[in-house]
Amino acid sequence: MPNLIFRPDWHLPESRVTPERAYRNRRKFLRELGLTGGGLLAASGLLESDVHAADARQLYPAKRNIAFSPDLPLSKEKVFTTYNNFYEFGTDKEAVHQRVDKFVTAPWPVKIHGLCEKPVTLDAQELAAEFGLEERVYRFRCVEAWSAIVPWTGFELRKLLEKVQPKAGAKFVKFVTAFRPEQMPGVARLRGYPWPYTEGLTLGEAMHPLTMLATGVYGKPLPKQNGAPIRLVVPWKYGFKSGKSLVEIELTDKQPKTLWETLSPEEYPFEANVDPAIPHARWSQATERVVDSGDRIRTLPLNGYAAQLSALYKK
Ligand SMILES: Nc1nc2c(c(=O)[nH]1)N[C@H]1C(S)=C(S)[C@@H](COP(=O)(O)O)O[C@H]1N2
Ligand SMILES: [Mo]
């Protein structure tokens, strides 16, 4: 009866070590605070969000997955976390990080539903603990022709989709992000936008091993301006596909209506694969500006991931 054998920690596959360690640490943390008795959290005056935040930090830094991390020089943390596209907090990239203080990112239930056998709602924190975190160094290419090299912490979206068991009719995955005007000072000036910020992938793209749900970056939980507490990362597509602060993931039979495609389908088509040969309506996509150095480098087809995607896009 193999499931009765208790193996030592070092025998566990890496994917199971992280959640178990996180779980033990969580119990320990709560015990130290005297919170395991039930109902004590409220009496303690400690905010549930404080517990979540302390809990989240236990999972970082995660081990780097070398197989998915090309040896590239990372963009500076300070640069990547202060130069953001997150229109809910304004359109000035360098100001977004100063406008996120009202945004409450824990607790954070994420609903996974639609055409699947086992829909579920789990907190972002539970998702991180359940699937185990790893670090991957990915190229990041915005449609505005700037780029970065980013160490994300997260897990493959595929693991979550397999858990909910897509039905045969599921063809697309829709990603809905948080919309809370009272916490997001940027939306007041963009009232005409089709909020919430929504994105989508084909099921095949969503199931691809490169596609991640990230809960951290630079070895720490995601800063709010980078999409705390959980965001999508699709490294071969323009950055706008990678929705931040996800609240809902839905399996569907129809191609989802996305915010950018609704606003301007010629400029921001649904597929949005990085392609140096296809210019944006208003600028070339042949080169990109590296955020740190300001250097101009050539843009690579599928952002450098073509070899890993050949089966997905075979003609
Ligand atoms: N909810 C939401 N997600 C979003 C955006 C946004 O404005 N709102 N901007 C997108 C764009 S255009 C890019 S380039 C990336 C930027 O992510 P970063 O700020 O972490 O670099 O987030 C994407 N996800
Ligand atoms: Mo972008």
Side-chain angles (χ1 to χ4, degrees):
M1 296 175 67
N3 54 0
L4 285 183
I5 298 170
F6 287 91
R7 297 191 172 99
D9 241 19
W10 50 262
H11 200 283
L12 290 169
E14 182 60 26
S15 60
R16 292 200 50 209
V17 173
T18 309
E20 299 210 351
R21 193 202 297 137
Y23 178 75
R24 271 202 309 276
N25 286 346
R26 173 166 209 190
R27 300 301 301 173
K28 184 165 166 275
F29 175 75
L30 293 174
R31 208 168 43 239
E32 280 162 5
L33 294 169
L35 297 178
T36 42
L40 287 167
L41 187 55
S44 72
L46 198 80
L47 292 173
E48 199 181 348
S49 57
D50 294 336
V51 176
H52 273 266
D55 209 5
R57 283 192 292 273
Q58 309 276 2
L59 300 167
Y60 302 86
K63 195 169 171 230
R64 184 173 293 181
N65 182 339
I66 299 300
F68 281 88
S69 303
D71 194 11
L72 297 167
L74 300 184
S75 296
K76 287 197 191 70
E77 177 178 354
K78 180 88 198 260
V79 175
F80 192 69
T81 57
T82 57
Y83 186 82
N84 302 101
N85 271 332
F86 205 163
Y87 275 22
E88 290 88 331
F89 298 92
T91 53
D92 175 355
K93 288 192 230 315
E94 272 139 308
V96 166
H97 70 104
Q98 296 162 333
R99 308 184 74 197
V100 294
D101 0 328
K102 288 212 186 85
F103 190 33
V104 180
T105 58
W108 192 274
V110 184
K111 183 177 173 190
I112 303 102
H113 68 122
L115 294 175
C116 61
E117 302 294 343
K118 306 214 151 117
V120 68
T121 297
L122 286 167
D123 195 88
Q125 177 56 25
E126 291 175 290
L127 286 169
E130 170 153 0
F131 296 111
L133 298 181
E134 62 179 33
E135 182 175 81
R136 293 186 181 188
V137 176
Y138 279 171
R139 295 186 188 83
F140 186 86
R141 171 63 159 81
C142 174
V143 73
E144 298 161 338
W146 55 266
S147 71
I149 312 281
V150 186
W152 299 107
T153 309
F155 57 90
E156 290 178 9
L157 170 62
R158 174 171 71 143
K159 294 189 188 174
L160 173 58
L161 295 176
E162 278 163 4
K163 177 186 167 84
V164 301
Q165 299 173 19
K167 290 188 176 165
K171 297 280 182 290
F172 294 92
V173 184
K174 176 179 167 183
F175 302 89
V176 184
T177 78
F179 183 61
R180 302 180 190 157
E182 70 291 356
Q183 296 179 18
M184 297 172 152
V187 296
R189 271 190 251 158
L190 298 172
R191 284 202 191 281
Y193 273 42
W195 304 111
Y197 192 105
T198 301
E199 261 305 335
L201 296 171
T202 65
L203 184 59
E205 292 168 339
M207 293 291 284
H208 194 279
L210 282 168
T211 305
M212 277 180 102
L213 285 176
T215 58
V217 74
Y218 293 93
K220 287 170 254 181
L222 281 172
K224 293 177 185 178
Q225 62 271 23
N226 290 93
I230 189 162
R231 69 172 294 169
L232 190 64
V233 178
V234 194
W236 73 93
K237 291 181 181 277
Y238 291 120
F240 69 84
K241 297 299 289 183
S242 295
K244 291 173 165 181
S245 306
L246 300 172
V247 293
E248 209 184 297
I249 298 174
E250 182 185 350
L251 288 137
T252 144
D253 55 354
K254 285 179 222 57
Q255 182 172 306
K257 283 247 168 265
T258 73
L259 178 136
W260 282 114
E261 202 202 7
T262 305
L263 285 171
S264 184
E266 297 78 36
E267 295 180 304
Y268 310 107
F270 182 84
E271 188 179 57
N273 285 337
V274 174
D275 188 342
I278 303 180
H280 182 271
R282 288 175 281 144
W283 57 83
S284 163
Q285 295 290 25
T287 64
E288 62 203 45
R289 178 179 54 84
V290 181
V291 278
D292 291 79
S293 61
D295 290 351
R296 277 242 155 234
I297 60 170
R298 277 184 188 287
T299 291
L300 299 170
L302 293 168
N303 205 23
Y305 296 97
Q308 289 162 80
L309 294 162
S310 56
L312 180 59
Y313 296 122
K314 65 177 179 289
K315 304 255 155 54

